[in-house]
Amino acid sequence: MSAWLQVLAVWLKEVDYSRVVHLASCTLEDNYVEALRACHTGISLELRALAVQLYLKIDRIQQADEQVKAMSAADDDSTLTQLATAWVNLYLGGAKVEEAFFIFQELGDKYNWTTRLLNGSAVCNMRMGRWEEAEQQLMEAFEKDAKSADTLANLVTTCLHLGKATSRYNTQLKAVAPAHILVQRNESADEAFRNAASAFEVSA
């Protein structure tokens, strides 16, 4: 168990869930078992929302949906409940994507259009094939935070679908989040191309 997990274990005994949520969100080093164990020590909306994210990361949609239902039963109007509902709906796809879109729209109009809300709404547009609308929202998110890895990755995907250049956003994404899965995939593809080219040169 890492030092962070040891600290988490101590804080769990103190039942300070705000710190638990922060620690579990920011650390845990992809240790989803320990993260979910931390979430299930309490019934706060924060812990349940974190559990939803973790279940979606490991493709456990049924368990994520169960957490959302529990959140709705506790406080259906909570912003966290609405966000968790949108996450699950976006994952489910189909008609649920539009429901997720309306949730992001409502939260953005009601409160403030943050980078995360803009990305959530943009991903909904992407899933519904509305690439121009997605690009517009992502550019707004980019203006708010040019170092957001989510925004940069989604811009790369959107630009590819619109036939636009992606080099600028790829370069920035590599600079701010070198471990991002999109960066790793691009590097793997580049390496495979170099190896193939090298083998061709040798055989030639």
Side-chain angles (χ1 to χ4, degrees):
M1 181 181 288
S2 70
W4 281 114
L5 290 176
Q6 291 176 4
V7 173
L8 176 60
V10 173
W11 282 7
L12 279 173
K13 293 178 181 178
E14 297 176 0
V15 200
D16 187 339
Y17 294 133
S18 62
R19 286 189 293 177
V20 170
V21 171
H22 176 70
L23 242 188
S25 299
C26 297
T27 59
L28 288 172
E29 303 158 351
D30 293 333
N31 191 334
Y32 300 130
V33 173
E34 287 297 329
L36 285 167
R37 186 173 294 148
C39 291
H40 287 291
T41 59
I43 58 173
S44 68
L45 290 179
E46 291 81 5
L47 287 174
R48 289 195 183 280
L50 179 57
V52 170
Q53 290 187 325
L54 292 168
Y55 279 128
L56 292 178
K57 275 182 173 291
I58 58 176
D59 298 321
R60 295 292 189 269
I61 184 61
Q62 182 177 348
Q63 288 86 343
D65 191 44
E66 289 173 357
Q67 292 296 319
V68 169
K69 289 177 179 176
M71 293 174 71
S72 296
D75 188 351
D76 191 48
D77 295 326
S78 167
T79 301
L80 269 180
T81 301
Q82 295 302 308
L83 278 173
T85 301
W87 300 334
V88 170
N89 285 345
L90 188 54
Y91 184 97
L92 288 171
K96 292 290 185 179
V97 174
E98 190 167 17
E99 293 181 23
F101 174 77
F102 287 132
I103 291 175
F104 286 122
Q105 288 292 123
E106 181 180 353
L107 291 175
D109 292 340
K110 184 178 180 180
Y111 299 108
N112 180 38
W113 277 102
T114 64
T115 301
R116 289 186 178 276
L117 286 177
L118 286 165
N119 270 275
S121 184
V123 171
C124 290
N125 276 320
M126 291 161 67
R127 291 288 300 274
M128 293 186 288
R130 303 195 300 225
W131 296 100
E132 291 82 5
E133 291 88 341
E135 182 188 28
Q136 183 178 0
Q137 289 185 306
L138 291 171
M139 289 307 301
E140 187 177 344
F142 182 77
E143 291 175 2
K144 289 178 177 290
D145 182 7
K147 295 183 178 181
S148 166
D150 287 340
T151 301
L152 293 168
N154 286 331
L155 275 169
V156 170
T157 302
T158 301
C159 287
L160 283 172
H161 278 271
L162 293 174
K164 297 183 178 182
T166 63
S167 58
R168 174 191 180 186
Y169 303 123
N170 272 318
T171 300
Q172 287 180 261
L173 179 61
K174 185 175 182 178
V176 302
H180 193 281
I181 186 171
L182 189 59
V183 174
Q184 294 178 341
R185 286 176 178 173
N186 286 338
E187 290 180 344
S188 296
D190 289 343
E191 183 179 0
F193 177 80
R194 288 193 297 269
N195 291 338
S198 177
F200 177 78
E201 290 174 358
V202 172
S203 62

